[in-house]
Amino acid sequence: MTRPVEEDEVLQRIRSMLENGIEALGLSDDAAVLDPPPGGPLVVSTDSVVEGVHVDLSLCSPGDVGWKALMGALSDLAAMGATPLAALVALCVPGGSGEGDLTLGVMAGVAEASAAAGCPVVGGDVSGGRDLVVSVTVLGTPAPADPPPVARSGARPGDLVLLTGPCGASAAGLRELRGGAGAGVAAAGPAEAYRRPVARLHEGRLARLSGAHAMMDVSDGLALDLHRLADASGVGLELDAVPVAAGATEDEALGGGEDYELIIALDGERSGLLMDRFAAEGLRRPSVVGVVVQDASVRTLRGRAFEPSGWQHRLG
Amino acid sequence: MTRPVEEDEVLQRIRSMLENGIEALGLSDDAAVLDPPPGGPLVVSTDSVVEGVHVDLSLCSPGDVGWKALMGALSDLAAMGATPLAALVALCVPGGSGEGDLTLGVMAGVAEASAAAGCPVVGGDVSGGRDLVVSVTVLGTPAPADPPPVARSGARPGDLVLLTGPCGASAAGLRELRGGAGAGVAAAGPAEAYRRPVARLHEGRLARLSGAHAMMDVSDGLALDLHRLADASGVGLELDAVPVAAGATEDEALGGGEDYELIIALDGERSGLLMDRFAAEGLRRPSVVGVVVQDASVRTLRGRAFEPSGWQHRLG
């Protein structure tokens, strides 16, 4: 009989935290009520971060875990060219909501990511459990509604393959942290890319508005995710080069994952339009990493087949 | 490098399972795209079931866990009077997606509940972890859009308090199962209420259309949830009787939880309208359990104060 009261108290503190800077509708009722912009479709996705599988609390803070969970889910909206509308967070915390410090630490990171991305957290749930698990569901809309959300499956032979930025920083950051760089590591280096990744929401929206044929975020590893986009589109890929983040190796760029850069396939004319729009908005110029070819069995980097490597910086 | 391939295979099998009988849009892209009915608000909620906290796999099957997780989340839509639009399921499974049997067993139960409630599963995620955790997010809409979703906070002095059915069956079922009734227990008895609860979606929708002032589902315990509704509305409650499910005790009805019956507060005239509508649709006649009073410090059952008991059949 004491636990529900404790839960209510912790939930009240979470509510206050989320109300500092963002909306927090509905956190005190059975469900939240939203008013999506009329007339367009909804884009929805869910993603989880599990301590011991995706993150290690000896290498990052509870706040980092909350940030990573929300940004990872938002990256799926970015990959469709959607703008965030709302998020819901289901938290399992060892010791349940009685573990106020851990619960509130994670939710503080969620609140920071929520403010940074402009995505209000409108609902949530806190349970006990042996592992820390943060499951985030995000809702978004294409704004404006036309063109529609961009799938993985639209790449066409002759398309250019663009990447919004270099890969491997997150994996390099994890390597640095495991090597003992610890909490004193530089705030802007790879460790920061590992702890506080940023979903490319602005880039994804502009790519959709520029008429991207196919799009996907780099979450499990660039090489694996390129294979998945090519599989979904029924095409092959000939890559010339892979942009590697400072401090990372090419293997980390290919297989590290959690970079959250976007892979974009589109024809040359639209690519020019996209480059102009990115420049006008002050965004980093995307790299052209290769071309789409008809033969789906072709997956080459500098003329040699590349494997669908990925997930190497997951802990499990 | 083997894990992502295994995950892709398990996800492909889940996709096939969900396509048997229900829609499964978007399970192969970064996010799913939905077309909600135009013009109305969205109602969203998230809920988790954790093995060892909410359920015990020695007392119910993986399919039961999946069913309970989806129905528990849908009950929050019922409590707002909303109709389900879509669900997303985030699964943590010991051993990860390599544990195909457990993953597929849980998802089979999710698929059955999805078909039973008419709520397609449009997105999901499978991770590893030590505990089995099923987090479900549901999206719904009021259909028709007017009157709006029903909050907990609208109960007014003089309202009647209705309950859509007797409580305590789930707690009694858990007691039976713990007592060794095991798998051979009667399919229609309390154990079935524990393993396969049903969200009162139809009842919630009719209550909203009848002009309910406040509504809430009984998830954590009738007594606790009555206190919460009264707290949210700033009112008191004088209860005459609590309907107790066959095989359950009054303590189980008051504190058991997971009954998913709906508490509805509304004035006498609307109550008559609601009773007529329920009868016309062949639904069980709600019980009048008491009245709402102005003094928020009053929370009585048969003239004696009742405590906010709840969560007693949670395992943790």
Side-chain angles (χ1 to χ4, degrees):
Chain A
M1 223 185 73
T2 54
R3 291 189 54 203
V5 177
E6 283 175 17
E7 175 172 278
D8 282 351
E9 284 171 7
V10 171
L11 290 182
Q12 186 53 48
R13 289 183 60 185
I14 292 173
R15 232 167 264 144
S16 312
M17 185 184 290
L18 293 171
E19 279 162 359
N20 287 339
I22 61 164
E23 299 169 63
L25 304 166
L27 279 171
S28 53
D29 221 300
D30 293 298
V33 180
L34 302 176
D35 280 303
L42 272 180
V43 182
V44 295
S45 186
T46 193
D47 204 15
S48 299
V49 170
V50 183
E51 219 266 309
V53 177
H54 308 99
V55 290
D56 179 341
L57 277 176
S58 69
L59 302 179
C60 61
S61 72
D64 293 335
V65 177
W67 173 288
K68 284 164 75 81
L70 183 54
M71 279 293 178
L74 286 171
S75 182
D76 287 326
L77 294 186
M80 309 290 282
T83 298
L85 178 66
L88 297 99
V89 180
L91 201 56
C92 290
V93 179
S97 51
E99 276 305 309
D101 287 353
L102 184 52
T103 302
L104 294 170
V106 171
M107 290 308 297
V110 167
E112 287 174 60
S114 158
C119 177
V121 176
V122 300
D125 177 73
V126 182
S127 297
R130 282 179 299 172
D131 300 316
L132 175 65
V133 180
V134 190
S135 293
V136 178
T137 300
V138 287
L139 288 70
T141 51
D146 195 63
V150 184
R152 295 178 182 179
S153 53
R156 305 171 195 171
D159 279 355
L160 299 177
V161 180
L162 309 186
L163 195 63
T164 53
C167 289
S170 179
L174 179 58
R175 172 170 47 78
E176 279 187 10
L177 289 166
R178 282 178 169 163
V185 80
E192 189 67 7
Y194 171 72
R195 287 175 173 157
R196 299 275 166 156
V198 177
R200 307 299 177 201
L201 289 159
H202 199 167
E203 290 84 348
R205 181 170 175 273
L206 283 185
R208 177 174 62 81
L209 294 176
S210 302
H213 294 162
M215 191 152 60
M216 186 169 174
D217 68 319
V218 180
S219 54
D220 288 342
L222 177 60
L224 175 61
D225 290 330
L226 282 165
H227 269 265
R228 285 176 170 164
L229 182 139
D231 289 345
S233 297
V235 297
L237 296 173
E238 290 181 353
L239 308 182
D240 304 311
V242 166
V244 179
T249 65
E250 189 174 85
D251 277 353
E252 286 170 339
L254 284 168
E258 290 193 15
D259 293 299
Y260 300 125
E261 297 297 346
L262 299 177
I263 305 166
I264 305 165
L266 78 184
D267 59 59
E269 186 185 333
R270 290 170 191 214
S271 174
L273 178 63
L274 182 148
M275 296 286 187
D276 290 346
R277 287 190 173 190
F278 273 51
E281 302 271 345
L283 297 172
R284 178 166 46 197
R285 181 185 171 85
S287 303
V288 179
V289 298
V291 294
V292 176
V293 298
Q294 183 130 24
D295 183 349
S297 70
V298 173
R299 309 284 165 91
T300 60
L301 171 60
R302 295 186 295 265
R304 297 183 55 175
F306 67 93
E307 296 294 312
S309 59
W311 278 47
Q312 287 162 359
H313 88 150
R314 307 261 169 146
L315 304 172
Chain B
M1 221 183 74
T2 54
R3 292 189 56 203
V5 177
E6 282 174 17
E7 174 172 277
D8 282 351
E9 284 171 7
V10 171
L11 291 182
Q12 186 53 48
R13 289 183 61 186
I14 292 173
R15 232 167 264 143
S16 311
M17 184 184 291
L18 293 172
E19 278 162 359
N20 287 338
I22 61 162
E23 299 170 63
L25 304 165
L27 278 172
S28 52
D29 221 299
D30 293 298
V33 180
L34 302 175
D35 280 304
L42 273 180
V43 182
V44 295
S45 185
T46 194
D47 204 15
S48 299
V49 170
V50 182
E51 218 265 311
V53 178
H54 308 98
V55 290
D56 179 342
L57 276 176
S58 70
L59 301 179
C60 62
S61 72
D64 294 335
V65 177
W67 173 288
K68 284 163 75 81
L70 183 54
M71 279 294 177
L74 286 170
S75 181
D76 287 325
L77 294 187
M80 308 289 283
T83 298
L85 178 66
L88 297 99
V89 180
L91 201 56
C92 291
V93 179
S97 51
E99 276 307 308
D101 286 352
L102 184 52
T103 303
L104 294 170
V106 171
M107 289 309 296
V110 167
E112 286 174 61
S114 158
C119 178
V121 176
V122 300
D125 178 73
V126 182
S127 298
R130 282 180 298 173
D131 300 315
L132 175 65
V133 181
V134 191
S135 293
V136 178
T137 300
V138 287
L139 287 67
T141 52
D146 195 63
V150 184
R152 296 178 182 179
S153 53
R156 305 171 197 171
D159 279 354
L160 299 177
V161 180
L162 310 187
L163 196 62
T164 54
C167 289
S170 180
L174 179 58
R175 172 171 45 79
E176 279 186 11
L177 289 166
R178 282 178 169 164
V185 80
E192 188 67 7
Y194 171 71
R195 287 175 173 157
R196 299 275 167 156
V198 176
R200 308 297 178 204
L201 289 159
H202 199 165
E203 290 83 348
R205 181 170 174 273
L206 284 185
R208 177 174 62 82
L209 294 176
S210 302
H213 294 163
M215 192 152 58
M216 186 170 175
D217 68 319
V218 180
S219 53
D220 288 341
L222 177 61
L224 175 60
D225 290 331
L226 283 165
H227 270 266
R228 285 176 171 165
L229 182 138
D231 289 345
S233 298
V235 297
L237 296 173
E238 290 181 354
L239 308 182
D240 305 310
V242 168
V244 179
T249 65
E250 188 174 87
D251 277 354
E252 286 169 339
L254 284 168
E258 289 193 16
D259 294 299
Y260 300 126
E261 297 297 346
L262 300 177
I263 305 165
I264 305 164
L266 77 185
D267 59 59
E269 187 185 334
R270 290 170 190 214
S271 173
L273 177 63
L274 182 148
M275 296 288 186
D276 291 346
R277 288 190 171 190
F278 272 51
E281 302 270 346
L283 297 172
R284 178 166 49 199
R285 182 185 170 83
S287 304
V288 179
V289 298
V291 294
V292 176
V293 298
Q294 182 130 25
D295 182 350
S297 70
V298 173
R299 310 284 164 92
T300 59
L301 170 61
R302 296 185 295 265
R304 296 183 55 174
F306 66 93
E307 294 296 310
S309 59
W311 277 47
Q312 288 162 359
H313 87 151
R314 307 262 167 144
L315 304 171

